[in-house]
Amino acid sequence: MYSAPDEKGEQSPRIVSFCFEFGTLTVLIYIKTVFILKGWDDVSFHGSDQIMTPNIDVLAYQGAILQQYYSDTQGTAARSALFTGKYPMRLGTQSDSILASEDRGIPVSERLLPKYLRELGYHTHLVGKWHVGKSREHYLPTYRGFDTFYGFLDGSVDYYTYNLVENCNGTSFFGLNFYENLAPVEDQSGHLTEILTDRAVNLIRDHDKSKPLYLHVSHAAPHTGGGLVSLQPPVNTLAENSHIAHTARRMYAGLVASLDKSVGHIIAALAEREMLKNTIIVFVSDNGAGATENFGCNLPLRGEKSTPWEGAARSVALVWHASITPNRNDQIFHVTDWLPTLLSAAGGGIPKNIDGIDQWGTIVKGEVSKRDSVLITIDDLNGWAAFREGDYKIVVGNVSKEKSKYPGKELKAVRHGSFPYENVLLASEACLVFKETLDLHLDIESIYEMRNNSKLVETVNHLPDEAVCFPTLAKGCLFKVSEDPTEAFDLWHAKMDIVRRMSLRLRGLWTEMNPRPLPKADPRANPSIQNYVWFSWVPNEEEIDEPRKPVPPFPLQVSRDELQYVVDINLNSFKDKIHEYIKNMGESFVTSVGGLFNF
């Protein structure tokens, strides 16, 4: 797909964006495509032979694998960060994701990525999940920069009825949660993943190629359903996963397989319209899997979704464009970086006062990233936080031990071998399309090398609880995650200088937080009031009845060493300033002082 030449005779990128709960794929055309995925070990390009994701893998092997990509630990937080380029804690969207019956959304004062792109001439479309506010109309996608919206507004939805069930103060709220723009869709049938894919493909086929395109496809798969049935894969995906022994894991794999097929179909549609060559595809996860929730697997990473561990926040990510030399990028990348990075790729200006960093040069030219640290997450409702600086990561607060282990080993059991990886890869739709359209051929030897390089070194073999660090109010945990991504070896006492510095930086970020109020269900949201459809229920002009909470105490006691460190910093800073002041006064100062004495 090609856009109209700009004043310099160059073509601006179109953006197709596909988002899946397992991974977000963004395509910038230039097109941007974003997909959202789940667990680290749920894609086969990370080395797993259990769940095959050949279409996603082809993108990875022909593009840049972002090996140290951080999202957030919950869906609303990750999505708000992607759309705004800001840490969720500045928006009040951190911690627990927004309830369907909660009056909350990304503040309307914030400009979102689709609005920036629309101002650059892009046609903007969202297909699938929103989950950053719907209680008021001005929170909805078509009020925030998307020209069209087709999908569901909350965290999950039933894959066949498109209904959402939520418990509200002991009452079950249930109703349709599927829309085209502002109107409920009542005559649709079929599996959710397939109907969302069909809509994305049709938008590509109907697109005016003289205009740039931003298509954001945000699948539910492989998230659990929003009704009373949790895992609902298409029936035709079950046979190919018959080798998986665990029943629920097999169902989960079916959802992942349907997601991978969707990626292949969308790539084929781009090629059909001759748009693929000028497309940027970004594929990222919104957060890690919940091993006890949807049977995803984060191994060898530690922890589950909704924790500060790597298994929750370090996510699957890749970028593809025809101009990218295949590589594994080991530099730190954060979900807030997509807004400035994609605006840069599209030729737009970078907004000020955001946390994201433009990494387009890092991706395309191999430039050294300007990002040397990242606030991984702050959760003031649950009382914990994580911060990374260089090679090191600090975790503080009250973290659930049950979700802080290494779950998922039992999910890896197989009854027999799966299909040969090489055969599955070469037969995939993406592989055939790339070969026929762009003359891009997979080199099997280099693919296996890249695949092995993308595996994380497992430095722990499911250590017992007493052998790993769990933070307390008196002491946090410090890991050198560049060498110990499984967070097995605590360095808190061995690296006190690093602990003091990072604790101080994290304390500072904590004080900048816009506190997250406790989720509060509103009985006016009950779909039964509106013919069992989840509509917005609060007038835009109604004041938010919610006094701003004070920032809660930082979840780590101040130690004597930390206080001494602060004092030393301030004294040294004061000393340096006095020294600089005297130095700058120069000869006039010497002359003035000399006049006071008679030598």
Side-chain angles (χ1 to χ4, degrees), residues 330-526:
D330 288 314
Q331 302 192 67
I332 299 173
F333 200 110
H334 188 246
V335 61
T336 56
D337 297 340
W338 290 121
L339 184 141
T341 298
L342 294 172
L343 288 180
S344 175
I350 308 301
K352 298 179 180 179
N353 300 318
I354 62 172
D355 298 296
I357 293 173
D358 175 13
Q359 302 236 40
W360 186 238
T362 304
I363 293 169
V364 177
K365 301 177 183 178
E367 297 174 355
V368 176
S369 173
K370 295 179 181 178
R371 180 175 289 287
D372 61 355
S373 64
V374 61
L375 174 61
I376 295 173
T377 186
I378 276 181
D379 189 327
D380 49 324
L381 292 186
N382 293 300
W384 42 254
F387 174 73
R388 179 167 176 181
E389 182 181 72
D391 293 329
Y392 293 90
K393 173 184 174 181
I394 187 174
V395 179
V396 300
N398 180 27
V399 187
S400 166
K401 285 191 175 183
E402 190 58 35
K403 290 189 173 184
S404 299
K405 302 175 183 178
Y406 298 87
K409 185 177 181 180
E410 70 283 359
L411 301 178
K412 301 287 289 178
V414 294
R415 299 172 60 242
H416 53 76
S418 60
F419 300 103
Y421 181 64
E422 180 179 327
N423 295 351
V424 173
L425 199 65
L426 293 174
S428 69
E429 190 167 19
C431 181
L432 298 175
V433 167
F434 276 15
K435 179 180 177 181
E436 295 173 2
T437 306
L438 303 179
D439 197 29
L440 292 177
H441 299 260
L442 292 177
D443 177 49
I444 298 302
E445 184 176 341
S446 63
I447 280 172
Y448 276 108
E449 181 180 357
M450 187 177 291
R451 191 178 189 222
N452 288 332
N453 289 339
S454 297
K455 292 180 181 179
L456 291 177
V457 177
E458 188 166 355
T459 54
V460 61
N461 186 20
H462 313 295
L463 297 174
D465 290 353
E466 60 272 15
V468 293
C469 178
F470 294 94
T472 67
L473 287 178
K475 173 192 168 297
C477 303
L478 179 74
F479 307 100
K480 192 173 184 179
V481 288
S482 60
E483 298 177 1
D484 177 25
T486 61
E487 298 169 294
F489 306 111
D490 179 34
L491 302 173
W492 187 272
H493 293 302
K495 301 284 185 180
M496 286 306 301
D497 55 334
I498 295 175
V499 166
R500 287 190 290 265
R501 184 181 69 248
M502 293 183 67
S503 296
L504 187 60
R505 290 195 66 183
L506 186 51
R507 284 183 191 276
L509 288 164
W510 185 274
T511 63
E512 298 172 16
M513 179 199 331
N514 178 5
R516 167 72 159 102
L518 285 169
K520 181 181 178 182
D522 189 335
R524 294 177 295 171
N526 194 338

Side-chain angles (χ1 to χ4, degrees), residues 20 64 117 167 176 201 459 470 588:
F20 303 95
L117 290 169
N167 184 54
L176 180 68
V201 167
T459 54
F470 294 94
S588 63

Side-chain angles (χ1 to χ4, degrees), residues 17 73 154 195 303 403 525:
S17 176
T73 65
D154 295 294
I195 65 172
K403 290 189 173 184

Side-chain angles (χ1 to χ4, degrees), residues 565-575:
Y565 181 72
V566 173
V567 170
D568 291 343
I569 287 177
N570 289 331
L571 286 177
N572 287 331
S573 176
F574 178 73
K575 180 179 66 176

Side-chain angles (χ1 to χ4, degrees), residues 147-312:
D147 294 324
T148 69
F149 167 62
Y150 184 79
F152 58 104
L153 292 168
D154 295 294
S156 59
V157 68
D158 187 276
Y159 283 81
Y160 288 100
T161 68
Y162 326 127
N163 274 233
L164 170 65
V165 181
E166 182 174 279
N167 184 54
C168 177
N169 301 327
T171 300
S172 183
F173 285 6
F174 52 91
L176 180 68
N177 196 311
F178 201 79
Y179 310 85
E180 182 162 13
N181 299 324
L182 302 179
V185 177
E186 312 224 29
D187 58 353
Q188 184 66 61
S189 63
H191 191 273
L192 180 64
T193 304
E194 294 168 353
I195 65 172
L196 294 178
T197 302
D198 289 345
R199 174 53 63 103
V201 167
N202 288 334
L203 283 168
I204 293 169
R205 287 174 175 167
D206 296 340
H207 180 67
D208 177 1
K209 294 201 292 183
S210 68
K211 303 288 185 181
L213 170 67
Y214 170 61
L215 172 59
H216 192 104
V217 184
S218 184
H219 276 291
H223 198 285
T224 53
L228 300 177
V229 182
S230 57
L231 296 171
Q232 300 170 286
V235 175
N236 61 10
T237 64
L238 297 180
E240 63 193 88
N241 292 297
S242 62
H243 60 285
I244 298 175
H246 194 286
T247 300
R249 177 70 170 172
R250 192 184 307 176
M251 301 286 278
Y252 175 85
L255 286 168
V256 175
S258 70
L259 179 107
D260 183 74
K261 288 180 173 62
S262 176
V263 173
H265 295 338
I266 292 169
I267 290 172
L270 292 170
E272 176 188 314
R273 292 296 314 282
E274 298 182 348
M275 296 161 62
L276 186 58
K277 188 175 182 179
N278 199 29
T279 297
I280 298 170
I281 301 178
V282 178
F283 188 94
V284 294
S285 302
D286 64 341
N287 50 251
T292 57
E293 177 185 340
N294 67 346
F295 301 93
C297 183
N298 300 319
L299 291 176
L301 298 178
R302 181 180 178 185
E304 301 183 41
K305 174 182 177 179
S306 307
T307 70
W309 308 111
E310 294 286 280

